[in-house]
Amino acid sequence: MELPIKYNWLNKENAPRMLVEALRHYGILEHVGKGSNPNITQWAKEVGVSGWYTDDDIPWCGLFTGVVAKRAGYPFSAGKLLAAREWMNWGTPVTKGREMLWDILVFQRPGGGHVGFYVGENKDNFLVYGGNQSNAVGFAWIAKSRLLGSRRPVYKIGEPDNVRKINLTFEGNLSTNEV
């Protein structure tokens, strides 16, 4: 599925590798109710958690982040993969206010946490790309006040030139509980 026109600029970004990999999955939907999307359950097999990740009704934002990291060549702990807040222990910490393109953002939400990738921001909110956002891989605006922390990959060859802060105009709805 193609990105919405307002986000087509992301297709011109050729790095970081995690961004390029993640964008390939835009629009993948969970099967609400009986049955699971075979793409999502395949991700669980790929990262070694299919024994206990058996249905896409289980929160899968961490699973999406993990499969993207794995395919881009970055290590992670599969055993704690699904726990969004465990991503606070991955990569290197980012000082609040210094988040940039494709940093991993970890948020609090009712009943747990949420993890996704930085796409941009305005004064009060982040635009986040991730899995299990309205039951799909996609974009969501999330309040900065919910941010628990940010992490940046340890880039193998050096930080790509296009890793930068991106200021955007708020459009759409503010997410309050990503599921």
Side-chain angles (χ1 to χ4, degrees):
M1 181 180 286
E2 290 190 29
L3 294 178
I5 292 171
K6 63 185 171 184
Y7 302 127
N8 270 343
W9 61 271
L10 284 166
N11 287 323
K12 296 176 183 152
E13 303 286 336
N14 62 356
R17 286 175 51 191
M18 287 181 21
L19 177 148
V20 175
E21 175 60 34
L23 292 178
R24 294 178 50 222
H25 304 285
Y26 174 75
I28 288 181
L29 292 165
E30 110 180 17
H31 292 176
V32 178
K34 192 173 185 175
S36 293
N37 183 315
N39 291 304
I40 297 171
T41 54
Q42 178 57 39
W43 296 340
K45 289 177 187 169
E46 184 176 335
V47 299
V49 296
S50 61
W52 51 274
Y53 185 86
T54 56
D55 191 290
D56 66 10
D57 281 339
I58 298 168
W60 51 275
C61 60
L63 174 62
F64 177 71
T65 304
V67 79
V68 167
K70 179 182 187 290
R71 290 180 180 179
Y74 291 99
F76 61 90
S77 172
K80 297 182 178 183
L81 171 66
L82 293 179
R85 291 178 184 221
E86 285 297 324
W87 286 94
M88 292 287 295
N89 300 312
W90 185 86
T92 59
V94 175
T95 304
K96 281 193 178 186
R98 296 185 182 238
E99 299 84 3
M100 291 193 242
L101 182 64
W102 229 249
D103 284 346
I104 290 178
L105 306 179
V106 180
F107 297 94
Q108 60 187 358
R109 71 170 182 84
H114 182 67
V115 61
F117 298 101
Y118 175 104
V119 172
E121 64 185 282
N122 66 16
K123 179 179 166 244
D124 299 316
N125 310 296
F126 291 109
L127 181 61
V128 179
Y129 182 84
N132 208 28
Q133 296 184 159
S134 298
N135 296 325
V137 175
F139 298 91
W141 284 98
I142 302 176
K144 288 182 176 180
S145 61
R146 291 180 44 208
L147 183 70
L148 295 173
S150 308
R151 307 298 285 192
R152 187 163 296 147
V154 177
Y155 292 109
K156 298 173 183 176
I157 306 174
E159 189 171 284
D161 291 339
N162 65 334
V163 172
R164 65 199 184 279
K165 187 169 281 297
I166 297 176
N167 294 303
L168 299 170
T169 301
F170 178 86
E171 295 180 33
N173 298 314
L174 187 65
S175 178
T176 58
N177 186 16
E178 303 66 44
V179 290

